[in-house]
Amino acid sequence: MLDGTDLIYAYDGSFEGLMCCVFESYQRKEIPNIIRPPSVQETLFDTAKRIETDGQKADRVYNSIPMKISPQAQEFVKLGFLTCDPHKEMLIFHFLRLGFKHGGKVMMMLTDDTVCSLQKAVRHLTSESHKFKGFVRFSVYGEVLIAVIEPKNYVLPLLSPHFCDRYRNERFMIYDKTHGMALIFQSQKAELIFVEELTLPDVDSAELEYRRLWKQFYKTIAIEGRNNPRCRMTFMPKRYWSQMTEFDEIIGPTQWQTSLCTPDAQATYKISPDYKVPTKD
Amino acid sequence: MIIDVYNKLTILSDSAKYDVACTSSGVDRKGKFGSIGSAAKAGICHSFSADGRCISLLKVLMTNVCIFDCKYCVNRVSNDIVRVAFTPHELAELTINFYRRNYIEGLFLSSGVIKNPNHTTEQLIKALELLRSVYHFNGYIHVKAIPGADSELITRLGLLADRMSINIELPSQESLTLLAPNKTKESILRPMGLITAKIQENCTDLVKYRHASKFVPAGQSTQLIVGATPDTDHKILTLTEGLYKKYHLKRVFFSAYMPVAENSLLPSMDTKPPLLREHRLYQADWLLRFYGFEAKELLDEQNPNFNLQVDPKCNWALNHLEKFPLEINKAPFEMLLRVPGIGVTSAQRILMARRNSPIDFSGLKKIGVVLKRAQYFITCKGKIMDGLKVTSDGTIRALMADQYKLPSPYPEQLSFFTEPFITREDVQQCLTGQI
Ligand code: SF4
């Protein structure tokens, strides 16, 4: 029998899988000190305990959150799973254990290390997703709008309701290069799919013209006597610039190699595209 | 034709850029089937220009032709510049095409006075009608009301826009007479009052008939120029407070004067814009709107201008040391808000956390409270922070001034946006002008 200090859970990387880890821990009365997604390299003497994903177990844990803790806690945990925090699994795990012990007031335990770290991660996620509502840049290809983003957190599920609502009559795609995922909206339906590579066709002259107009507007609207590059950098760090039209040096076709592919059963983010962001924590 | 639009865009955005309001906030509106666009209450910044300001709206003039002669304005009739005008169609195409690409949150349309105020307003109405009903644009529109236009026209314009503004620009009648000879306090305040009344009337209409069209649902704003005239901060802030109370304005914007003309009545061309002063006014404005301060607590006849070394809230605290230190676990919300370094979000989190268990200094840090300045003004569970040596009020004063030490004799050249502000979370919103 392993002692608690090096108990490792290996799960399939899905939200359901993580819920099953929580289930397992309660059932076996044990506390893992690492919960590992499949992307991590397995070593030869891997002692990790494989946690199978079982929809029923996952549902039991998931459905008990609003009842035993609070509906806000359930939203919070879902958001936590979208963050890029490298320890998000353990944070969510400990948060839920705390919650099952203390009930709804866990959301107010702001001075607790777990709650505080998870909150920080979620704030990072929501603030990044808010930024992208503005920083996403579409290019028009025929009838379709296509944008590429490189976010740190998995923001697509949060961007989906906003863009689908705003561009109701459009067909569009937002490709998340970091996570290899794309949000596709057409005929009033949104879908999140895996995309490994993407090659975009050349843009037409009208598209080039509007890019030129936008760049000109961007340049003109700044007041020279108030130049403040540092302030700009604070609000819009350089990492966003690479996909923004106004910083595109050569206006021309952007090239990525690409092909669309279907979702891989493993490691799917099982959060529906019309997933709603809670308004306030 | 596109080349032409390119030149027009250059000229008409260049002459619109001194209007600092660029917020897209104040109204939540869902998308509509068959239309393009929606609005988000908190506002969305789509980019930041090299001067660090938020770009949210396509900010342009309909035309830079103007029959008025406001001395501080590039478009004044006596200025020898190229004059152009967008057609409503050009403007609509530009807006829609920028909007589809997510460059912008909407349109901010202003105009020079062409022929007369009524004719100008009619042009604006034409452009917005085209955009709303033919192009089915459902995004954000901020439109300028033209001083001197008929009420009926202003009303029609307001039904097409989300926000309307009339810039007061100069904070006193004397300055207006001197620098904007075609405008009077009356010609500005009358339409402002009309808009306020219409908004209120509309609220009752909306209760009565659910489908009454909305009149400027995101409210009204205005702008004041800082530094073109000898008007003091006290005068500007008191006026600002009055505008919030009397006209229920959503925002008052301040614009540091950039010299655009050599005129003996104006600061000389090599004057630097008083950016730090503008910044202090924004901080004070923030205190009025969200921190429960009144203008008279911040400035008076004896001290009519802000201290450039210390922000207004800290300045207030230093003048009221008898109210401190404050016990974090007991102090009411309104008082927490008055502690330098504690912002609205921090104060809310403190309230929430202390309901659960008493907070100590390490807990405060975890909540995200920046203690750098707050530490001098608070106790946790009756204790001051470990290692903090404060012997007298004088010491606190010295310490505060030290944190604000200005490294150059030209405060304007400072990168003061990184100085400690009310709180970091606030500085972002305050400077980007959101909310
Ligand atoms: S009315 Fe407006 S555009 Fe015309 S000169 Fe005065 S400030 Fe400038």
Side-chain angles (χ1 to χ4, degrees), chain A residues 23-83:
Chain A
F23 189 92
E24 180 78 7
S25 145
Y26 273 97
Q27 197 174 44
R28 306 265 172 224
K29 300 194 171 47
E30 61 189 18
I31 309 279
N33 58 349
I34 295 176
I35 299 179
R36 209 180 60 186
S39 51
V40 180
Q41 277 286 305
E42 286 178 26
T43 57
L44 194 54
F45 306 103
D46 195 41
T47 51
K49 184 170 175 182
R50 220 164 286 283
I51 306 296
E52 293 305 322
T53 298
D54 171 334
Q56 274 183 341
K57 287 182 188 168
D59 282 351
R60 271 182 62 188
V61 176
Y62 183 69
N63 294 333
S64 67
I65 303 174
M67 292 184 325
K68 298 231 173 80
I69 312 176
S70 69
Q72 292 93 311
Q74 194 184 40
E75 291 300 322
F76 185 55
V77 163
K78 279 203 275 183
L79 287 175
F81 192 70
L82 302 176
T83 67

Side-chain angles (χ1 to χ4, degrees), chain A residues 108-278:
Chain A
M108 295 195 281
M109 292 165 63
L110 303 181
T111 52
D112 178 272
D113 282 330
T114 300
V115 182
C116 158
S117 306
L118 195 54
Q119 285 240 350
K120 250 189 217 148
V122 167
R123 270 206 297 279
H124 182 219
L125 163 80
T126 48
S127 90
E128 191 182 30
S129 107
H130 181 78
K131 283 204 158 97
F132 271 113
K133 283 182 187 171
F135 296 167
V136 162
R137 292 288 175 267
F138 287 105
S139 293
V140 178
Y141 295 90
E143 295 289 291
V144 188
L145 310 176
I146 299 179
V148 180
I149 56 173
E150 294 174 77
K152 286 189 178 159
N153 297 283
Y154 184 49
V155 294
L156 282 183
L158 301 191
L159 294 182
S160 177
H162 172 78
F163 284 105
C164 297
D165 180 54
R166 174 160 293 191
Y167 297 121
R168 272 169 195 244
N169 284 12
E170 305 277 356
R171 284 167 63 199
F172 69 82
M173 163 157 121
I174 303 175
Y175 170 46
D176 174 345
K177 225 173 156 183
T178 319
H179 300 86
M181 296 291 290
L183 167 69
I184 293 183
F185 180 77
Q186 54 187 343
S187 13
Q188 303 304 309
K189 273 215 330 264
E191 244 184 314
L192 283 169
I193 63 161
F194 281 81
V195 174
E196 264 173 17
E197 296 168 16
L198 181 69
T199 317
L200 293 169
D202 286 355
V203 291
D204 61 18
S205 61
E207 172 62 25
L208 289 180
E209 208 42 57
Y210 280 110
R211 287 184 187 176
R212 200 168 77 96
L213 285 165
W214 171 243
K215 289 172 71 157
Q216 177 67 359
F217 174 76
Y218 179 80
K219 254 194 276 160
T220 317
I221 207 71
I223 299 177
E224 237 171 90
R226 308 182 54 125
N227 202 27
N228 195 338
R230 227 168 115 186
C231 177
R232 169 169 71 179
M233 204 72 96
T234 314
F235 296 124
M236 190 171 60
K238 265 232 161 90
R239 71 181 180 94
Y240 294 101
W241 295 16
S242 62
Q243 303 295 346
M244 293 175 79
T245 318
E246 49 272 45
F247 300 108
D248 180 14
E249 295 287 316
I250 333 123
I251 327 176
T254 355
Q255 252 127 37
W256 294 281
Q257 270 97 52
T258 295
S259 63
L260 296 183
C261 66
T262 42
D264 168 0
Q266 291 278 307
T268 319
Y269 293 91
K270 301 231 176 77
I271 289 188
S272 70
D274 53 6
Y275 170 62
K276 294 239 166 24
V277 202

